[in-house]
Amino acid sequence: METTAEEQLIGPLLLARGTIDRSSALRANEGWLERAWSDPSSRVLVIDNGHTLVRRTGDEVHAVLLPPEDAPTGPRYLLGLEDGVAYFAVAAPLPGIPKGDVNGRVTIPMSLIDTPEGELVAAGLRQVGGLLGDRDAGLLVYAVALEAWHTTHEYCPRCGSRTDIQAGGHIRVCPQDASQHFPRVDPAVIMLVRDEDDRCLLARGPQWPEGRLSILAGFVEPGESLEHAVAREVAEEVGITVVNPRYLGSQPWPFPRSLMLGFFAEATSTDLTPDAEEIAEAHWYSREELARALDSGELRLPPPVSIARRLIETWYGGELTGDW
């Protein structure tokens, strides 16, 4: 199978967007960080268990960004700069939302927001990652990833002491042994497998309801190349050999800390033997068969915010309907 021009284009990858300068050189400058936090023009995105406040105006969705003086108290992370404005994230309960009720709706005083009046909703990346503009999408992905890391890495893996947050939220330091710990990113390959008839392989895990299908994926193991991970995961999950893995793009998936690396790969056989612990069912689909299954409601695909959906649509040659 030859690589077509369309296969070189996987975009838009909705969670790979962003406009701010991450400004890593400023993270260790405590004086600058305090001045930026005291600047009323700085903006703060509040993050609570992967959710933030967003505002709808018609078809547009914007993240609610607070001036520092109105932000709640909590761990503070520098996200970066844009046009001279500093952006921070604070991990804390969302203003006006009862603790633990991050799915509620809320109206807060206009003095707390820097956007025009509108409905405010607590939402996560899966709900609004594809609706936000480039700046807000990048800020939210970044904040979600940092919050998830800090939540699960509060203690030193060497001695068990509680670590301190430094460098604008990008390092945790152990006060006992001075060891430094940095945010983790776990690489995972996700691959659209095609056979010699250019059919696409879709499957679902045992935890998913019937009709909810996607492409294969798995984590990269220590000492393993991306290409080898593609071949290994496909062989382990459905029992076939693939060749010619071709990298098409990557997207952060901070649930909690993955980086999804997208590939196309070619199957050398079509006889599927799914691993029952990993795969409940797996099937080959032509473009016509996939379109019919989506139209009938028999099949649902991952949402547009996912790289899986972009890989499937790249193979298909156009947009598809039928979201989870």
Side-chain angles (χ1 to χ4, degrees):
M1 287 173 284
E2 295 183 358
T3 303
T4 66
E6 288 78 8
E7 290 174 15
Q8 305 301 324
L9 303 173
I10 191 177
L13 291 172
L14 297 176
L15 299 189
R17 297 173 293 147
T19 63
I20 64 166
D21 178 348
R22 294 197 172 204
S23 308
S24 59
L26 295 172
R27 294 170 186 169
N29 189 331
E30 293 295 334
W32 181 90
L33 289 172
E34 288 305 317
R35 290 193 298 274
W37 184 256
S38 300
D39 188 338
S41 70
S42 295
R43 288 294 175 261
V44 181
L45 184 145
V46 183
I47 189 76
D48 180 13
N49 194 28
H51 289 68
T52 194
L53 288 176
V54 299
R55 172 187 158 274
R56 283 184 184 275
T57 302
D59 294 333
E60 295 185 355
V61 177
H62 305 278
V64 174
L65 301 172
L66 310 178
E69 64 181 6
D70 292 328
T73 301
R76 185 192 311 170
Y77 319 134
L78 174 67
L79 300 180
L81 290 170
E82 183 180 58
D83 297 330
V85 176
Y87 290 88
F88 292 87
V90 167
L94 302 181
I97 300 259
K99 185 174 179 58
D101 185 22
V102 294
N103 294 314
R105 295 172 180 269
V106 63
T107 300
I108 60 178
M110 288 302 298
S111 61
L112 293 183
I113 61 175
D114 63 348
T115 56
E117 185 176 3
E119 183 179 27
L120 300 179
V121 181
L125 275 174
R126 285 186 172 93
Q127 293 78 44
V128 298
L131 302 175
L132 295 169
D134 290 354
R135 183 201 66 182
D136 290 358
L139 291 173
L140 184 54
V141 172
Y142 199 177
V144 168
L146 284 175
E147 182 203 27
W149 177 69
H150 282 286
T151 300
T152 56
H153 290 75
E154 295 181 284
Y155 299 92
C156 176
R158 293 183 175 182
C159 68
S161 298
R162 189 180 184 90
T163 52
D164 299 323
I165 298 175
Q166 296 185 15
H170 291 77
I171 301 176
R172 297 190 73 104
V173 179
C174 177
Q176 297 300 318
D177 60 26
S179 60
Q180 296 183 337
H181 308 279
F182 299 85
R184 283 186 53 190
V185 175
D186 297 334
V189 290
I190 183 165
M191 42 276 175
L192 186 142
V193 178
R194 303 180 300 167
D195 68 4
E196 62 180 5
D197 295 321
D198 202 20
R199 294 183 301 172
C200 169
L201 176 61
L202 299 179
R204 72 175 178 91
Q207 72 276 19
W208 296 352
E210 291 187 12
R212 180 180 291 184
L213 301 184
S214 185
I215 54 179
L216 303 181
F219 287 106
V220 181
E221 294 187 346
E224 185 176 47
S225 70
L226 300 178
E227 294 80 4
H228 188 272
V230 169
R232 175 186 54 77
E233 284 289 343
V234 175
E236 290 177 355
E237 294 189 350
V238 295
I240 63 173
T241 300
V242 296
V243 295
N244 300 328
R246 292 194 295 275
Y247 172 75
L248 291 181
S250 66
Q251 172 169 273
W253 192 249
F255 305 112
R257 62 183 65 85
S258 298
L259 175 65
M260 307 301 295
L261 301 136
F263 286 82
F264 271 35
E266 300 170 12
T268 61
S269 63
T270 59
D271 186 12
L272 304 173
T273 55
D275 177 350
E277 293 187 3
E278 296 284 341
I279 303 295
E281 60 176 312
H283 308 284
W284 295 103
Y285 287 89
S286 68
R287 290 170 178 79
E288 294 75 17
E289 289 168 339
L290 178 60
R292 284 197 298 269
L294 291 172
D295 289 342
S296 68
E298 169 190 340
L299 187 153
R300 290 289 180 266
L301 294 177
V305 73
S306 69
I307 191 171
R309 177 64 164 268
R310 294 309 180 196
L311 285 165
I312 295 169
E313 290 182 335
T314 298
W315 162 80
Y316 183 79
E319 293 186 1
L320 292 166
T321 58
D323 302 350
W324 291 352

